[in-house]
Amino acid sequence: MNVLMINGSPHEKGCTDTALRVMADVLHEEGIDTECFWVGTRPMGGCIACRKCRDLGKCVFDDGVNTVLSKAAGADGFVFGSPVHYAALSGQMKAFMDRLFYAEALGRGNRDFYLKPACAVISARRGGTTAAFDEMNKYFTIQQMPVVSSRYWNQVHGTVPEEVLQDVEGIATIRILARNMAYMLKAFDLAKKAGLPLPKQEAVTFLNFIH
């Protein structure tokens, strides 16, 4: 089994990466492989609702979004990490997730995210963590991805990586999160091997409150 981790911080080896590496270490202890993708620092525009992904099966802008889409089929679970910028996700990560989830839903029929466990990991100096955490979880629930939880909200604090490692409660939260994800992945694997059928799906109906 494999977990794809996306680092949405502009600092490749910063505080967000530190939290993700703590989680990866525990997943490795549980026999789960991980791969980390860094969103990077190149300018990234948001979704323009052109709907080209419906025909292309990927985003019309060929960048890291399509790289992650190409890896999604081989992942059994996902972790999205972001720093807090002005009590919200980083702008880079917001644009990335908007396009990623839209292209997966419209262009790929949600086949690579459906019922795959996901979670958010938030890093901040001090405040804004729960607002960013809530924002990220909405992406998962609209795609029918089971949200993995921990004993507290998935957040670490610190200005530099060394301070993150001193956040004893935050690091414990991330370690518990990793164990819970490993357990969920193993449970889903057992269900699949036992032949448990997937949930019956409803027909898609879009309304705009007018008609």
Side-chain angles (χ1 to χ4, degrees):
M1 287 176 280
N2 180 65
V3 170
L4 181 58
M5 313 180 95
I6 295 93
N7 177 5
S9 170
H11 302 288
E12 184 176 11
K13 301 298 181 182
C15 296
T16 302
D17 174 71
T18 300
L20 293 178
R21 283 190 286 108
V22 168
M23 189 170 182
D25 287 344
V26 177
L27 287 170
H28 296 162
E29 292 172 8
E30 295 286 341
I32 310 293
D33 294 327
T34 63
E35 179 182 358
C36 190
F37 177 84
W38 180 46
V39 172
T41 57
R42 294 181 61 187
M44 179 172 296
C47 179
I48 61 172
C50 66
R51 301 198 174 193
K52 293 292 185 181
C53 54
R54 182 170 49 190
D55 302 320
L56 298 173
K58 61 181 181 178
C59 186
V60 70
F61 301 118
D62 195 16
D63 55 16
V65 168
N66 287 338
T67 302
V68 170
L69 282 173
S70 70
K71 295 175 179 291
D76 300 292
F78 298 86
V79 181
F80 291 82
S82 177
V84 171
H85 290 176
Y86 287 94
L89 297 178
S90 71
Q92 196 86 335
M93 191 57 155
K94 170 66 175 172
F96 184 90
M97 293 185 75
D98 278 355
R99 287 172 46 216
L100 177 72
F101 278 76
Y102 195 76
E104 170 62 19
L106 191 64
R108 303 163 75 88
N110 200 33
R111 66 178 184 264
D112 295 329
F113 283 0
Y114 176 60
L115 287 186
K116 291 184 178 181
C119 65
V121 170
I122 309 297
S123 169
R125 180 190 65 84
R126 188 172 180 87
T129 51
T130 54
F133 181 66
D134 290 344
E135 188 178 6
M136 292 186 81
N137 283 328
K138 291 181 176 69
Y139 289 92
F140 311 143
T141 56
I142 201 171
Q143 302 286 86
Q144 300 186 71
M145 303 173 80
V147 179
V148 185
S149 60
S150 185
R151 191 168 59 195
Y152 196 75
W153 299 301
N154 314 332
Q155 56 186 268
V156 294
H157 292 84
T159 306
V160 294
E162 293 77 16
E163 291 180 350
V164 169
L165 295 174
Q166 295 172 32
D167 179 7
V168 176
E169 184 176 1
I171 292 299
T173 298
I174 299 304
R175 290 178 60 83
I176 292 166
L177 177 66
R179 291 195 186 97
N180 289 349
M181 172 164 271
Y183 182 88
M184 190 179 292
L185 288 171
K186 293 173 183 178
F188 273 46
D189 187 54
L190 287 174
K192 182 178 180 180
K193 290 176 179 176
L196 183 68
L198 295 174
K200 180 181 178 180
Q201 293 293 294
E202 298 282 342
V204 177
T205 302
F206 289 105
L207 298 178
N208 62 5
F209 300 108
I210 302 299
H211 54 77

